[in-house]
Amino acid sequence: MDKPLIFAIETSCDETSVAILRGPKEIVYHKISSQIDIHKPFGGVVPEVASRKHLEMVNPMIQEAFSETGLAYSAVDLIGVTKGPGLVGALLVGIAAAKAMAFALDVPLVGVNHMHGHLAANELCHADLPYPHLSLVVSGGHTYLIEVTGRLTYRLRGTTRDDAAGEAFDKTARALGMEYPGGALIQKAAEMGNADRYALPRILLEKDSYDFSFSGLKTAVLQLLQKEKDKADYKMEDMAASFQEAVVDTLVIKCMRLVKETGIKDLTLSGGVAANARLREKLEAALQEVGGRLYAPSVILSTDNAAMIATAAYYTWKKHGPDDFTLGVHPNLAL
Ligand code: KG4
Ligand code: ZN
């Protein structure tokens, strides 16, 4: 089976997504249903609300995938589904749907590590992805700096000790009076601001560490806001730009340190924060300076989606074979 028809489901957080791929790189159908508007009033994702919404969406979305493509259910060769990390109730919905499909269609079932999915987004977008490469996965839940030695062989070099990069964006956005999720809104405000206006720390931890810590930066913004927000010359856009620059600098500094240590000059970016234009711009420039290249997925494939899960399912299945029906959810699954 050179190019199996892969059906994939992603329900790890607040996006219900289904995709059909022919082989690991050809998207036949892809749909993402975001729950953001439902969670907005709560200022973050409410797990129980997320599970219920996935339950409501998953079956109609599966049916729609087949009715819109005109494909028969029997054409499917492989089912991929996110098994973790993520919200337990949300993951269970996807796993149950995937198991039912695999059982009814009598095709292999593959549980996918959501982080492998984010990494696979770049496989999906770039035909010429080189190995080894480095990878920065930055989302609302994760901040991972990874040495990718081969397909599905990873060495985790750094992670966050507190807030994830996206979480720092969201919490700071809230402090600046923006809605959830605030990452893209901070970027938009920052485009009209001066990043040199407010001095904020680049928290780099120990000299030899690739870990990140963003909670100190968030606190620094809060303290600065207390001092500045009632002054006549306070400008929210300047605060947003100064904060964004501090996060971006911290991420770029660590990535470039790892480039220097390993001699690996190509780096992939993924996760929701990969949509950040300033991060892309600064990383790209820093890599170009040392003769490296930045690989980033399209914005739609940066965020949580089932297409990347299908790609990761293909490679997981090729390497490890299928799962059986005891497949469970792994909310804290490591890389
Ligand atoms: O990968 P993702 O869609 O979901 C998780 O698995 O978390 O990432 C969502 C995160 C949110 O924290 C959101 O604020 C952030 O990505 N984000 C951004 C931008 N677009 C989304 N952060 C900074 N700049 C952006 N343009
Ligand atoms: Zn994600």
Side-chain angles (χ1 to χ4, degrees), residues 1-324:
M1 224 188 301
D2 191 30
K3 282 193 168 183
L5 197 76
I6 310 162
F7 189 89
I9 305 173
E10 153 68 36
T11 63
S12 68
C13 190
D14 61 341
E15 267 99 20
T16 318
S17 179
V18 301
I20 302 175
L21 268 67
R22 193 168 298 281
K25 293 187 188 245
E26 190 187 328
I27 298 178
V28 176
Y29 179 89
H30 188 205
K31 199 78 161 257
I32 303 172
S33 167
S34 171
Q35 305 179 354
I36 280 176
D37 288 341
I38 308 167
H39 298 290
K40 235 173 215 166
F42 303 100
V45 177
V46 184
E48 180 59 23
V49 174
S51 319
R52 284 170 190 269
K53 195 66 192 172
H54 284 306
L55 203 52
E56 189 185 312
M57 295 305 294
V58 76
N59 283 343
M61 284 181 75
I62 292 170
Q63 281 161 9
E64 199 178 275
F66 289 94
S67 62
E68 280 195 17
T69 55
L71 285 164
Y73 284 93
S74 58
V76 173
D77 298 307
L78 180 70
I79 308 277
V81 62
T82 306
K83 64 177 176 181
L87 303 169
V88 60
L91 289 164
L92 275 167
V93 175
I95 290 267
K99 278 185 183 175
M101 279 183 81
F103 183 73
L105 302 174
D106 193 22
V107 293
L109 170 73
V110 183
V112 174
N113 184 320
H114 179 79
M115 303 317 291
H116 295 183
H118 276 303
L119 289 156
N122 277 296
E123 280 274 2
L124 192 46
C125 293
H126 305 286
D128 57 344
L129 192 64
Y131 287 92
H133 59 255
L134 304 179
S135 192
L136 179 67
V137 188
V138 271
S139 73
H142 305 281
T143 307
Y144 282 166
L145 184 52
I146 304 160
E147 199 178 326
V148 184
T149 47
R151 223 179 243 140
L152 293 177
T153 53
Y154 308 117
R155 189 171 164 214
L156 181 62
R157 300 301 304 266
T159 185
T160 183
R161 294 195 186 160
D162 39 60
D163 292 347
E167 199 179 352
F169 267 98
D170 295 339
K171 287 178 175 171
T172 302
R174 193 173 186 176
L176 296 179
M178 297 168 182
E179 313 192 289
Y180 170 84
L185 299 172
I186 289 209
Q187 178 184 317
K188 207 161 164 224
E191 280 160 15
M192 293 174 295
N194 172 8
D196 296 324
R197 171 81 190 282
Y198 297 110
L200 287 167
R202 275 66 174 156
I203 296 166
L204 299 173
L205 304 169
E206 305 81 27
K207 214 167 171 296
D208 58 348
S209 172
Y210 292 107
D211 281 348
F212 300 93
S213 168
F214 290 111
S215 76
L217 174 60
K218 177 191 65 195
T219 309
V221 173
L222 288 174
Q223 284 170 349
L224 200 57
L225 263 179
Q226 287 308 317
K227 268 199 350 216
E228 299 290 328
K229 71 179 189 326
D230 297 325
K231 291 185 181 168
D233 65 348
Y234 167 70
K235 202 172 154 203
M236 182 276 280
E237 289 80 3
D238 289 348
M239 191 66 82
S242 303
F243 163 78
Q244 175 178 267
E245 207 68 8
V247 176
V248 168
D249 281 350
T250 308
L251 292 170
V252 173
I253 290 168
K254 294 270 170 163
C255 287
M256 296 316 292
R257 269 192 195 166
L258 191 57
V259 166
K260 200 167 168 206
E261 186 213 297
T262 58
I264 302 170
K265 294 175 179 158
D266 296 309
L267 184 137
T268 67
L269 188 61
S270 56
V273 183
N276 188 273
R278 187 70 181 142
L279 176 60
R280 287 185 185 221
E281 184 189 346
K282 283 198 113 174
L283 252 184
E284 193 154 37
L287 288 164
Q288 261 172 15
E289 210 166 285
V290 298
R293 189 176 154 192
L294 176 70
Y295 294 82
S298 61
V299 169
I300 200 74
L301 293 175
S302 297
T303 188
D304 289 350
N305 69 86
M308 69 184 193
I309 299 303
T311 303
Y314 174 85
Y315 293 121
T316 306
W317 173 62
K318 282 270 173 191
K319 191 165 178 179
H320 302 293
D323 283 293
D324 61 31

